[in-house]
Amino acid sequence: MPQVTFIDAHGESRTVEGEAGATVMEVAIRNGVPGIEAECGGACACATCHVYVDDAWAAKTGSPEPMEEDMLDFAFEVKPTSRLSCQIKLRDDLDGLIVRTPTRQG
């Protein structure tokens, strides 16, 4: 099973396992990862599952599709490696993926 490491805005990390085919957001929700709210349930209709993909993994996870790009306009502190975690499907070659959760507004 591929592992994903989530690093929060304070530098605390949490590594969890997920099944290939699941999204990074689904894995985060199942494991209670803080900073991933997923208000729309993974429909790419909000930006509450926004993450920063670690630079070393950016090429493997790919670029956002146009719909995801539109939703990222609503995310807080968007960076070049910003992605919606509901749009990143886990694959065996993503074992060890590292993503960071942004500081939340408010």
Side-chain angles (χ1 to χ4, degrees):
M1 284 200 200
Q3 290 189 333
V4 181
T5 298
F6 295 87
I7 303 172
D8 70 19
H10 306 290
E12 292 183 38
S13 68
R14 177 186 296 205
T15 301
V16 297
E17 284 189 347
E19 293 183 15
T23 66
V24 172
M25 179 219 75
E26 291 168 335
V27 171
I29 296 300
R30 284 187 200 126
N31 289 280
V33 173
I36 305 289
E37 295 169 26
E39 290 176 4
C40 75
C44 197
C46 71
T48 61
C49 70
H50 174 218
V51 295
Y52 305 120
V53 175
D54 188 80
D55 289 340
W57 291 94
K60 275 194 175 181
T61 58
S63 299
E65 296 290 326
M67 189 166 121
E68 181 181 355
E69 289 245 351
D70 290 345
M71 289 313 308
L72 281 168
D73 289 342
F74 299 101
F76 183 63
E77 294 183 354
V78 175
K79 297 179 181 179
T81 60
S82 287
R83 292 290 311 270
L84 298 182
S85 60
C86 69
Q87 299 301 299
I88 304 171
K89 284 204 186 258
L90 281 183
R91 310 179 306 261
D92 289 335
D93 68 331
L94 292 180
D95 183 31
L97 175 65
I98 300 169
V99 297
R100 288 173 172 76
T101 55
T103 305
R104 294 284 173 217
Q105 261 183 317

